[in-house]
Amino acid sequence: MASYRVSVDGHEYIVEIVDLQRRPIVAKVEGETFEVTVEPQGIADTSPAAPVVTALRPSVAPVEALRAAPVTSASAAGGAVTAPLPGTIVAVSVMSGDRVDMGQELCVLEAMKMNNPIRSTRSGVITEVSISVGQQVQHGQTLMLIAEG
């Protein structure tokens, strides 16, 4: 396990990462466990040899790389989209019955003063939306369900 110092809006956090190569990345912040997906975005070299996460060094983590990373969360079983970290829902982009594509933004979760888009990891139809704007959610809480379709 490696530790990283991350600064977000002037607040410093010590983040413990179990394995940088694992997806999603499992990170511990102040005793809470989060699943984080980091994807290169707007970077010239996105080859597997130079992903954003390998640029992180112990005790130094560029917050710009973390801010640029959209959060994606959907469990393989049953198409449940779950919260990858605790926070507040600030936008819901879909409703029950909507057809969605893989990668489509479903909602936005604000956590640690950062807006984290939650994207679909599969195509299908939204069968249930369990959240609303302003709602507090916990890590792992089901936000919505997607059925194949």
Side-chain angles (χ1 to χ4, degrees):
M1 184 176 308
S3 293
Y4 299 87
R5 184 173 308 146
V6 178
S7 178
V8 178
D9 291 333
H11 297 354
E12 277 196 7
Y13 301 91
I14 300 299
V15 180
E16 295 175 331
I17 306 287
V18 175
D19 180 0
L20 281 175
Q21 303 309 313
R22 182 177 168 193
R23 295 296 181 262
I25 293 172
V26 176
K28 290 187 180 182
V29 181
E30 296 182 346
E32 271 194 81
T33 302
F34 302 94
E35 291 180 356
V36 181
T37 301
V38 179
E39 299 172 5
Q41 190 169 332
I43 297 173
D45 184 6
T46 59
S47 67
V52 171
V53 288
T54 59
L56 301 179
R57 300 186 210 300
S59 300
V60 180
V63 81
E64 292 78 22
L66 297 175
R67 283 188 176 155
V71 175
T72 306
S73 176
S75 73
V81 178
T82 58
L85 64 166
T88 304
I89 301 298
V90 295
V92 179
S93 306
V94 296
M95 53 193 275
S96 188
D98 286 354
R99 173 166 288 290
V100 296
D101 295 317
M102 186 164 69
Q104 180 175 338
E105 184 176 293
L106 304 173
C107 61
V108 178
L109 177 80
E110 191 262 333
M112 296 188 292
K113 297 187 181 186
M114 291 180 8
N115 285 339
N116 302 283
I118 308 299
R119 299 185 185 280
S120 177
T121 57
R122 64 191 282 184
S123 295
V125 176
I126 302 293
T127 58
E128 180 182 324
V129 177
S130 307
I131 52 162
S132 59
V133 174
Q135 182 177 344
Q136 295 284 327
V137 297
Q138 297 303 313
H139 174 256
Q141 181 176 335
T142 299
L143 306 177
M144 57 190 70
L145 300 175
I146 302 174
E148 289 187 33

